[in-house]
Amino acid sequence: QSVLTQPPSVSGTPGQRVTISCSGSSSNIGNNPVNWYQQFPGTAPKLLIFTNDQRASGVPDRFSGSKSDTSASLAINGLQSEDEADYYCAAWDDRLSGSCVFGTGTTVTVL
Amino acid sequence: QVQLVQSGAEMKRPGASANISCKASGYIFSTHIIHWVRQAPGHGLEWMGWINTANGKSKGAQKFQGRLTIIRDPSASTVFMDLRFVTSEDTAVYYCARDRDGSWPTNWFDTWGQGTLVTVSS
């Protein structure tokens, strides 16, 4: 069971800004960095954002991440059709001797 | 280039064990922790556990306690995941993923295997 909550879906038109929220608690997001992963259907996830707000190599600068207290956000500025994918946040959770927890996942649709 | 190549799809009866391998190449095997993550059809990602490839220490999520074993063979640069007593709820694509770190697990998975579909059906 995911302990990080994301909206099931977000949508936008090309060029629009969309944001995806990731809500956690003090044991995970509140005390550890957040990473974001992008996944296209039938493929393995790919690291998109690390340590809250750093873009992974090759990731376009229209993607940005942020974190505040026990929540994090992923923004896509200037949405493009190729951004249609599933997005997951992830954080380490300090409970139970430590474990990684993923968000529930958000499907981005470009209208 | 850095690569993780997993073994092929498996079909299992309920109560059997799923065994998946993950062969690493393109880097020094013992310098990065390997994690296992699974994804049931139409569902999200679920973290399962990790192994320190340098010393063999491993840990699984509490949910899989008693059923999950993760080991490694440094001579073959390969990590193995064994999930016992599978049920239909274990039907999923299983991924291995390389951690950025080699000493302590993080949520930073910089390379993923291609995934292995395990189907549990009677």
Side-chain angles (χ1 to χ4, degrees):
Chain A
Q1 264 173 319
S2 300
V3 297
L4 304 182
T5 303
Q6 301 178 229
S9 63
V10 299
S11 61
T13 56
Q16 203 171 11
R17 171 187 167 93
V18 297
T19 61
I20 301 169
S21 60
C22 173
S23 178
S25 68
S26 58
S27 65
N28 42 64
I29 293 178
N31 202 36
N32 295 290
V34 175
N35 292 352
W36 289 88
Y37 295 88
Q38 178 189 56
Q39 185 182 33
F40 296 105
T43 69
K46 183 188 89 167
L47 179 67
L48 193 69
I49 299 285
F50 62 91
T51 317
N52 307 323
D53 57 10
Q54 303 298 303
R55 280 185 298 277
S57 177
V59 173
D61 60 7
R62 64 179 180 273
F63 291 93
S64 62
S66 64
K67 187 183 101 166
S68 178
D69 295 327
T70 59
S71 293
S73 289
L74 175 70
I76 309 176
N77 283 286
L79 190 64
Q80 298 190 9
S81 57
E82 59 261 38
D83 299 333
E84 244 188 30
D86 293 329
Y87 294 84
Y88 295 90
C89 56
W92 201 255
D93 195 300
D94 297 329
R95 293 173 295 185
L96 301 173
S97 303
S99 61
C100 179
V101 288
F102 285 99
T104 47
T106 299
T107 299
V108 170
T109 302
V110 182
L111 302 171
Chain B
Q1 76 280 22
V2 175
Q3 208 172 2
L4 299 175
V5 177
Q6 300 180 220
S7 49
E10 297 192 345
M11 181 84 74
K12 296 292 179 181
R13 300 291 188 199
S17 294
N19 315 98
I20 305 171
S21 65
C22 171
K23 182 172 177 58
S25 61
Y27 71 99
I28 299 173
F29 176 72
S30 61
T31 58
H32 291 267
I33 283 168
I34 294 289
H35 295 259
W36 288 93
V37 176
R38 75 178 185 178
Q39 186 171 36
H43 287 76
L45 303 173
E46 180 177 30
W47 179 81
M48 298 182 69
W50 58 268
I51 185 167
N52 183 315
T53 53
N55 60 23
K57 176 183 168 64
S58 66
K59 183 178 183 295
Q62 189 177 47
K63 172 178 179 176
F64 302 103
Q65 201 164 31
R67 290 208 298 143
L68 177 66
T69 300
I70 305 173
I71 61 173
R72 97 286 191 217
D73 179 356
S75 68
S77 298
T78 301
V79 172
F80 301 90
M81 189 277 291
D82 178 59
L83 185 65
R84 298 177 292 282
F85 313 119
V86 295
T87 71
S88 59
E89 295 189 354
D90 294 313
T91 293
V93 175
Y94 290 75
Y95 295 100
C96 59
R98 191 185 83 157
D99 196 310
R100 164 188 180 255
D101 202 280
S103 301
W104 195 252
T106 74
N107 63 332
W108 190 326
F109 310 137
D110 62 8
T111 304
W112 295 66
Q114 82 276 20
T116 297
L117 175 62
V118 173
T119 304
V120 182
S121 174
S122 55

